[in-house]
Amino acid sequence: MIWNPLIGKYGSCIMAALLFAGTLQAQAKSFLLQFRHRVGTAPLVKDSVYANSFAEPFSVHSFKYYISHIQALDAAGKKLEALSGKVFLVDQSDTASTRISLAALPAGTVSVRFLLGVDSTYNTAGVLTGTLDPLNGMFWTWNSGYIMAKLEGRSPASKAPGNYYTYHVGGYKPGQQTARWITLPVNNRQTLYVAANVLKWFNGKHDIMIAAQPVCHAPGSLAVLLADNYAEMFSVINEP
Amino acid sequence: MRGAAVILVLIMATGMASSFIARNKPRYGTTPMAMPIPKGWPQPVYNFRENQPTREGFELGRRLFYDGRLSKDGNFPCAGCHQQFAAFATFDHSLSHGVDNQLTTRNAPALFNLAWQKEFMHDGGVNHLDLQPLAPLTASNEMGETISNVLQKLRADKQYRRMFRAAFGDTLINTQRMMKALSQFMLMMVSADSKYDKVKRGEAAFTLAENLGQQIFNRKCASCHPPPFFTDFSYRNIGLEPDGTLADSGRMRITLDKRDAYKFRVPSLRNVKVTAPYGHDGRFFSLADVFSHYRQQHTTMPGVDSLVKNGIPLSNFEIGQLTAFLFALTDSTLLSDKRFGLPPGMKEAQFPDPQNH
């Protein structure tokens, strides 16, 4: 029994450490990301009519997007820790999906970063499950790849059938990439309320008028412009 | 004493862990199926680690392949456009048919040797075999169904619940499992037993015509249609005048690169005897039509592949010999292998109007 004294010596320490870790986990407060969908500063209400900065009236019927690679960053913007390995689908029509509960932030966290969209690995991995199941309507079957974000509704400015405007934004290949990194300050908050302002889709880095571009259903230049715009839609707000 | 107690706890924990693992091992007894890799062929590109074919998965995939319920109106199974006797292409149809008396814009490609293929569809838009069936399934002018509806139909069917359990260990029926089962079935469709293959293996000899045809083939066709697949899987513009009614820019639809306009994937010539009509839109009803296309110059249309632009000189004599060789690529084993046929006890989906179909 050569190993006996060894385990005897360290075994209790291991057990104690395990117990301590368990207690810590039970005590540790989790970090919560709460998405709030907005039109400017007003709450987004399904099928209500708003106007964008070009005075185009529009309503929103569907608004959803993927969030992945949520990470905690330090003051220098360096990754401290991955907060989740999951891919979340935030959907305006499903309140539960706007609330993402994560492990507590590591000490020294100054900001959080996440990818709006899913990375190229998932885009080439065949059929996946859960939020990445193609049946969620966020996947192009004729041109393999995920729709990173989707904004759909109606606008009299749209000359498309039914006056619909439908922005299905995706693309992961070089030159067509539509996933965007988003970094938000935390300021010691346990719950971060993040506004997603749909007005930015029309007027962010680029001007995109519904009258001129009512439809985006494929990867490509329009999708990239829309992605540049939605990259600017998030901001931290005080409690609603 | 304290040490011994700790050891006891550790041993118990280990024991519990191992029995936990044992309990969670698949209880279902699947029979693995080996992927046939013909001698001299490269390794498949399909990732078998993610989806190991089993007899049970294969049989499930086979049933799904022949089940009309994967379509909106129940009349368009995969097998509707992918008929075994036509090497899983459609016999005698230029453009494939879809639900509600619709025509698609393309000819159904033959299905075989899919384990070696990286991209699918005439334009290569689909990047994984597991994803491919979702394209026709959800296209409004093909099977016209939604994934959720299909899953609902399958979940309501006792036999499917039984078959999913047999293949995957429990009755969970989801998109991924449905697609993995379909892949298991299609992966096994290996075409490597034509007369050409038998000659290669020293089991048969070419006729004089086939032999001459092979020599012509090697000189004039093999740069785009090299063995063993008889395609290099590239996308090429062979000078097919665009058809305004189809508005199909081919590969450019996927890459968005103007240089890829009107390029389509080079099809395999295996089983070419039974896969007529030819071309991505089935515009050539016979091999003679194809040969006459290649004999012509294609200098008016921009972007035509340099190998065919100036026409391929082919005499009538050469065409005869070439045809003999191409016919030697017919794999009657694949075309008649009962494993790939309608599952026993299953009724063939009835097309709404067999006359028109």
Side-chain angles (χ1 to χ4, degrees):
Chain A
M1 299 280 265
I2 302 162
W3 41 273
N4 187 354
L6 249 178
I7 293 184
K9 194 170 173 189
Y10 297 110
S12 50
C13 298
I14 293 166
M15 295 290 279
L18 282 172
L19 277 172
F20 182 60
T23 326
L24 256 188
Q25 196 132 42
Q27 277 181 350
K29 283 178 185 157
S30 61
F31 175 67
L32 198 62
L33 267 178
Q34 281 270 29
F35 288 94
R36 292 286 186 257
H37 297 161
R38 295 279 186 264
V39 182
T41 51
L44 172 63
V45 178
K46 188 181 169 185
D47 298 329
S48 289
V49 178
Y50 305 93
N52 63 19
S53 56
F54 312 108
E56 294 177 312
F58 72 95
S59 65
V60 174
H61 190 72
S62 172
F63 178 44
K64 43 186 181 175
Y65 47 90
Y66 280 114
I67 297 289
S68 62
H69 295 283
I70 308 175
Q71 303 164 352
L73 307 182
D74 66 12
K78 238 184 87 193
K79 182 171 111 177
L80 287 168
E81 197 171 280
L83 296 173
S84 173
K86 286 188 191 160
V87 178
F88 301 90
L89 178 57
V90 182
D91 183 346
Q92 162 77 3
S93 70
D94 175 12
T95 312
S97 75
T98 62
R99 187 187 152 94
I100 298 177
S101 185
L102 300 155
L105 296 174
T109 301
V110 166
S111 54
V112 290
R113 175 167 66 181
F114 58 79
L115 190 68
L116 170 55
V118 298
D119 64 35
S120 61
T121 336
Y122 293 117
N123 281 283
T124 52
V127 180
L128 300 168
T129 55
T131 53
L132 292 170
D133 192 321
L135 67 71
N136 293 322
M138 295 291 277
F139 193 85
W140 281 310
T141 55
W142 57 276
N143 185 359
S144 301
Y146 284 94
I147 295 167
M148 311 292 180
K150 193 185 245 189
L151 180 70
E152 289 182 344
R154 294 179 108 155
S155 167
S158 165
K159 297 289 170 278
N163 298 120
Y164 285 105
Y165 74 92
T166 47
Y167 295 150
H168 301 177
V169 182
Y172 67 92
K173 293 172 192 162
Q176 303 178 6
Q177 282 152 354
T178 49
R180 293 288 182 272
W181 283 106
I182 309 292
T183 306
L184 299 167
V186 172
N187 292 332
N188 297 316
R189 289 184 179 92
Q190 298 277 337
T191 297
L192 200 63
Y193 287 93
V194 179
N197 175 11
V198 299
L199 285 182
K200 287 286 181 185
W201 283 60
F202 310 104
N203 187 7
K205 189 174 171 187
H206 314 282
D207 286 347
I208 297 171
M209 291 178 73
I210 296 173
Q213 304 279 11
V215 172
C216 177
H217 285 175
S221 51
L222 178 58
V224 170
L225 296 180
L226 282 162
D228 291 344
N229 278 5
Y230 64 51
E232 296 182 359
M233 76 171 162
F234 294 106
S235 61
V236 174
I237 51 170
N238 292 322
E239 293 206 22
Chain B
M1 262 323 280
R2 202 181 57 177
V6 168
I7 291 163
L8 191 67
V9 168
L10 283 175
I11 289 171
M12 279 173 65
T14 320
M16 268 152 53
S18 60
S19 69
F20 176 79
I21 291 164
R23 270 207 310 279
N24 281 275
K25 256 188 193 167
R27 269 192 218 156
Y28 54 104
T30 49
T31 318
M33 279 177 99
M35 176 67 203
I37 300 172
K39 204 176 156 222
W41 286 27
Q43 281 301 307
V45 296
Y46 188 83
N47 186 354
F48 287 93
R49 284 190 306 278
E50 301 274 326
N51 188 24
Q52 164 62 49
T54 61
R55 172 65 55 196
E56 293 74 14
F58 173 92
E59 287 302 332
L60 172 58
R62 178 184 180 187
R63 189 167 193 85
L64 291 165
F65 191 84
Y66 281 94
D67 196 335
R69 283 176 292 179
L70 267 64
S71 66
K72 185 170 92 176
D73 64 3
N75 297 315
F76 289 84
C78 308
C81 289
H82 298 284
Q83 302 163 310
Q84 186 179 11
F85 63 87
F88 300 100
T90 322
F91 172 71
D92 197 32
H93 282 49
S94 48
L95 298 172
S96 287
H97 297 195
V99 294
D100 301 331
N101 288 315
Q102 293 183 86
L103 279 181
T104 69
T105 54
R106 288 177 182 167
N107 179 254
L111 306 180
F112 48 78
N113 301 340
L114 299 171
W116 286 269
Q117 199 172 315
K118 272 200 197 94
E119 295 162 334
F120 304 86
M121 315 296 274
H122 288 292
D123 56 22
V126 176
N127 65 20
H128 197 295
L129 179 61
D130 294 2
L131 286 167
Q132 199 288 328
L134 294 176
L137 194 150
T138 56
S140 60
N141 61 353
E142 296 190 56
M143 297 158 82
E145 209 14 315
T146 66
I147 304 170
S148 322
N149 279 350
V150 170
L151 292 175
Q152 261 177 36
K153 289 186 241 181
L154 300 183
R155 285 170 188 146
D157 184 311
K158 204 172 148 188
Q159 188 171 359
Y160 272 117
R161 292 199 298 272
R162 193 178 54 72
M163 292 181 84
F164 273 86
R165 191 174 56 230
F168 297 108
D170 58 58
T171 53
L172 173 70
I173 296 179
N174 65 14
T175 321
Q176 187 182 57
R177 285 182 173 183
M178 172 166 71
M179 294 303 131
K180 284 192 168 181
L182 273 166
S183 285
Q184 290 187 28
F185 176 63
M186 292 188 289
L187 285 164
M188 292 297 150
M189 296 172 179
V190 174
S191 185
D193 204 28
S194 64
K195 182 168 183 188
Y196 164 84
D197 299 292
K198 291 185 172 116
V199 171
K200 274 279 193 195
R201 296 196 295 259
E203 298 162 12
F206 279 141
T207 63
L208 179 61
E210 288 163 349
N211 217 343
L212 287 170
Q214 186 179 31
Q215 290 169 27
I216 300 161
F217 182 86
N218 287 342
R219 283 205 311 277
K220 302 189 175 180
C221 315
S223 39
C224 303
H225 296 279
F229 303 111
F230 291 88
T231 168
D232 64 355
F233 299 107
S234 65
Y235 303 88
R236 293 173 193 263
N237 176 342
I238 60 160
L240 303 175
E241 285 297 329
D243 182 333
T245 65
L246 304 178
D248 191 347
S249 64
R251 182 67 179 155
M252 185 180 125
R253 188 171 175 242
I254 303 304
T255 62
L256 310 175
D257 187 336
K258 283 195 172 71
R259 288 167 300 183
D260 287 335
Y262 308 116
K263 285 186 183 175
F264 295 88
R265 195 182 45 248
V266 176
S268 172
L269 298 182
R270 285 183 172 275
N271 303 300
V272 70
K273 183 182 178 182
V274 298
T275 58
Y278 308 106
H280 67 278
D281 53 7
R283 68 175 70 186
F284 302 121
F285 278 85
S286 69
L287 277 180
D289 294 340
V290 177
F291 289 129
S292 91
H293 171 80
Y294 280 127
R295 280 211 282 208
Q296 293 155 29
Q297 289 200 330
H298 300 282
T299 46
T300 50
M301 186 181 164
V304 178
D305 201 285
S306 59
L307 290 169
V308 299
K309 194 173 164 178
N310 297 315
I312 301 173
L314 286 170
S315 69
N316 289 347
F317 174 79
E318 283 178 311
I319 285 175
Q321 314 306 303
L322 261 181
T323 305
F325 174 70
L326 292 177
F327 282 8
L329 297 176
T330 309
D331 180 354
S332 53
T333 306
L334 176 78
L335 304 186
S336 61
D337 189 335
K338 289 209 160 33
R339 294 181 306 153
F340 301 123
L342 188 72
M346 200 173 176
K347 272 192 205 143
E348 208 159 334
Q350 290 300 308
F351 297 113
D353 183 357
Q355 292 279 300
N356 261 331
H357 188 72

